[in-house]
Amino acid sequence: MTEASTYTNIDWAQVKVLIIDDQLSSALLIQNILHSIDLTAIDIATNSVNAIRLCKTTAYDLILLDFHLDPQLSGSELLTVMRKNNYISAYCGIIFISGDRTPEVIVTSISLDTDSFLSKPLNIGQLKQRIITVYQACLIRKPIYIAITNNQTSTAIFLCRQLLQLHGHNLEIEILLLDLLIGQQDWLLAQQLLTLFSERSQHHKLGLRQAQLMHKQGDTVTAIQRLQTLIKQVPLFVEAYDELAILLHQQQQSDEAKNIAYQALMLTPSISQRSLMAAQLAVSTNDAPLFFKIGKIFVTHLPIINQDWIIYFAQFTALFEQLHSQQLSPQSQRKLLQQLKRTHWQAQQRLALKQKKHLTAFCHITLARFAVTNNQPLKAKRRLLHGLKIYFGQMSQAPAAIMVDALPLLVYFGETQLIKEIYQALMTRSVLDEHSHHRLNQLQGNKFIIENVRLLVDQLATAKAAISPDPQRAYRIYHTILRDYPYNTEAHLGRMNSLLVLQQIHHPEIDISLQQIKKMPLASPLQEWFIQLQQLYLDKHSVVYP
C-alpha cells in the first residue's frame, strides 16, 4: 500500500499537476517528492510564458506556484492572469511556495484565495499532506464551481447546502454559500445560516460576511464598527480593509476611507486594484502628494504578463485627470503634469521594449488631451498623431485602451480616416475591457457627435469628388469644413489641392495649410496626397517647402 492510499483512495496517477518555478532544480525536487505519493502526471514551467501555454492545453487539478518567478514578475500576477482568462478552472487547487516569508507575500497569497502557502525549504511530510488536503478540497468544491461557471446559482446553493448537511462544518463551503446568498440578495437565509455557522466558528471571514449583511440590510454604521473591530483582531485581513474603505467612502468619511485603503495597499502592493482604489480616494480628498506616492507603488508593480497593465495605467491616468481638474491655479496644474510625466518614466523602467512603445504612444495621447485643455490645439494634434503613428496601417495592433482614449481627440480634430480605422479595429474585439467599454459608451451615447462625424465624412467625400470638375465648389466646401474643424488634415489638403488646380499658387491659405500639416505624422493615403501636393506646388512655384 502506498503512502497516499493511507489517506485516500484517489487515483493519484490521474491527477494533473503543474509546478511553476523559475529555478528548475527546485521544481525537480518538488517533482520527486510528488512522485513518492504516486503523482506522475506532472509538468514543469520555469517562466510565465510556458506556464500559460501549458494551462491553455491541459486542465490541471493542482498548481504549485513560486511567488517570485523572476525580478520583474510575481506568481500573484501570473495567477491573476490565468484566472481572469480562464486558463485554469475555478476549482483548481493553488499552493504558493516561497522562501520569502514577509507579510506582503503571505497576505497577498491569502488575499488571492489560494488553498495553501508553504515556505522554503520545504518540509517533505508537510508538502505531501498539504497536497492531499488541497486536492480533496478541490474534489469537494468542483461540482459547485461548475454550476457557478454555468450560471446555475440555484444549483450551486443547493450543492453547498447538501455538502454541509452530509459532511458537517466546512469553512470554505460555508463562505461560498454565504457569498452566493448575498449575491442573490437573500439576506434572511444568509443571516440565519451565518448565525448557525458562527456557533461553530468565530473565523474572521465569517465576521466579514456579518458586516456585509449589516450593510446590505441598512445598518452601515454597525457594519463599519464591526469591520474596525475585525481589523484590530486580525491586522493582516486585507479584505476587511477593502470593505471598510468602501463603506467609509459611502458615508462621506473620505479621509478615513483613504487611510484605510492605503493601509490595505501597503499590505499587498502588488495588487493593482488596491492601488487604484487608494488613488481614487486620494483624488476625492484632493491629496496630490498621496496620489503620486500611490502612483510610484502602482507603476512599480504593474502586471506585465499581458496587456492588462495598459488598462490599469489608463484607469490611473483617468483618475489623474480628475485630480488635475480640481486644481485652482495653472501653476498647480503644471506641477501635477510634471509629476505625471515622472510617473510615466517610472513605468517605463518596468516594461519590456514592446510594452514601452505602447506606453509612449499612450503618454503622447494623454498629453495631447491636456494640450487641448490648455488651448494648444496644434501641439495637441501633433502629440496625438505621434502617439498613433506606430499603429498607422495596423491599427488592430493597438491596445483598446489607447484607441478609445484617442477617439475623442480624433473627433475633435475631425480625423475621419483614423476614426474609421479605430472603430473597425474595435469592432473586431470580441470583448472590451471595462475602461475601454466605458469610454466607448460615453462617446457613442452622444448622438450629436456621431451625427456630426457622419456629416463631416459626407462633406469631405463630396468636396474631394469636386476638385477636378469644379475646384471652386470644392474650395468652398473645404472652407466651410475648416470653419467647424480648423485643424482637419483632409480639409487642409483638399483646400490646397483646390487652390493649386485654380492656379492660385500665391494664395495665403496654401501657406497656412502647409504650416498646419508639414510637421504632422500622416497615415496613408493622406501622406501620399500631401507628397503629391508638395510636388505639384514645386512645379508651380519656385519656393521649396520642407
Side-chain angles (χ1 to χ4, degrees), residues 225-245:
Q225 293 170 349
R226 179 72 183 93
L227 289 167
Q228 289 169 332
T229 301
L230 195 57
I231 287 171
K232 289 178 183 177
Q233 294 171 340
V234 191
L236 299 182
F237 186 28
V238 71
E239 287 83 359
Y241 289 82
D242 295 337
E243 191 75 21
L244 179 56

Side-chain angles (χ1 to χ4, degrees), residues 115-348:
D115 293 282
S116 186
F117 179 89
L118 291 174
S119 296
K120 293 179 180 179
L122 293 171
N123 178 291
I124 295 176
Q126 186 183 40
L127 174 59
K128 291 179 178 179
Q129 183 58 58
R130 203 64 59 89
I131 288 286
I132 293 167
T133 302
V134 169
Y135 185 62
Q136 287 174 331
C138 294
L139 292 178
I140 289 172
R141 68 188 180 220
K142 181 175 180 178
I144 301 170
Y145 277 102
I146 288 175
I148 293 172
T149 302
N150 294 328
N151 296 316
Q152 298 171 340
T153 306
S154 298
T155 301
I157 290 172
F158 170 78
L159 290 171
C160 285
R161 299 189 71 177
Q162 185 182 59
L163 275 169
L164 293 172
Q165 288 169 358
L166 288 173
H167 302 291
H169 171 64
N170 182 316
L171 181 64
E172 180 187 1
I173 302 302
E174 290 171 355
I175 295 297
L176 181 54
L177 175 56
L178 290 172
D179 288 343
L180 289 168
L181 291 170
I182 291 172
Q184 291 290 94
Q185 300 185 12
D186 192 343
W187 318 133
L188 180 60
L189 181 55
Q191 185 60 62
Q192 290 172 348
L193 290 173
L194 179 59
T195 301
L196 176 63
F197 299 154
S198 298
E199 291 174 359
R200 303 169 183 164
S201 169
Q202 294 298 310
H203 199 278
H204 55 272
K205 289 187 176 182
L206 293 175
L208 174 60
R209 271 66 186 183
Q210 181 66 71
Q212 290 173 335
L213 276 171
M214 289 172 178
H215 168 62
K216 298 293 186 183
Q217 297 177 89
D219 194 357
T220 302
V221 173
T222 306
I224 288 173
Q225 293 170 349
R226 179 72 183 93
L227 289 167
Q228 289 169 332
T229 301
L230 195 57
I231 287 171
K232 289 178 183 177
Q233 294 171 340
V234 191
L236 299 182
F237 186 28
V238 71
E239 287 83 359
Y241 289 82
D242 295 337
E243 191 75 21
L244 179 56
I246 291 169
L247 297 189
L248 287 169
H249 184 53
Q250 290 178 0
Q251 293 295 101
Q252 309 300 317
Q253 299 178 48
S254 295
D255 280 311
E256 195 173 345
K258 174 184 67 179
N259 294 334
I260 292 294
Y262 185 68
Q263 289 178 51
L265 173 60
M266 296 310 294
L267 287 171
T268 56
S270 63
I271 306 297
S272 297
Q273 290 291 1
R274 290 201 173 97
S275 290
L276 292 172
M277 177 185 286
Q280 182 178 16
L281 290 167
V283 171
S284 70
T285 55
N286 200 21
D287 190 341
L290 181 61
F291 179 85
F292 285 104
K293 189 176 181 180
I294 294 165
K296 186 175 182 180
I297 297 170
F298 170 69
V299 297
T300 304
H301 295 87
L302 274 175
I304 59 174
I305 297 177
N306 59 10
Q307 287 194 357
D308 283 355
W309 69 269
I310 192 71
I311 299 167
Y312 290 128
F313 204 85
Q315 291 172 327
F316 180 81
T317 303
L319 291 173
F320 170 82
E321 290 179 24
Q322 295 178 33
L323 182 66
H324 184 269
S325 67
Q326 291 169 192
Q327 306 312 303
L328 299 179
S329 70
Q331 182 181 4
S332 298
Q333 291 183 331
R334 285 193 297 272
K335 185 178 178 181
L336 285 185
L337 207 51
Q338 289 302 315
Q339 289 178 292
L340 179 66
K341 291 177 182 177
R342 189 155 47 246
T343 303
H344 287 172
W345 180 85
Q346 290 166 342
Q348 288 273 9

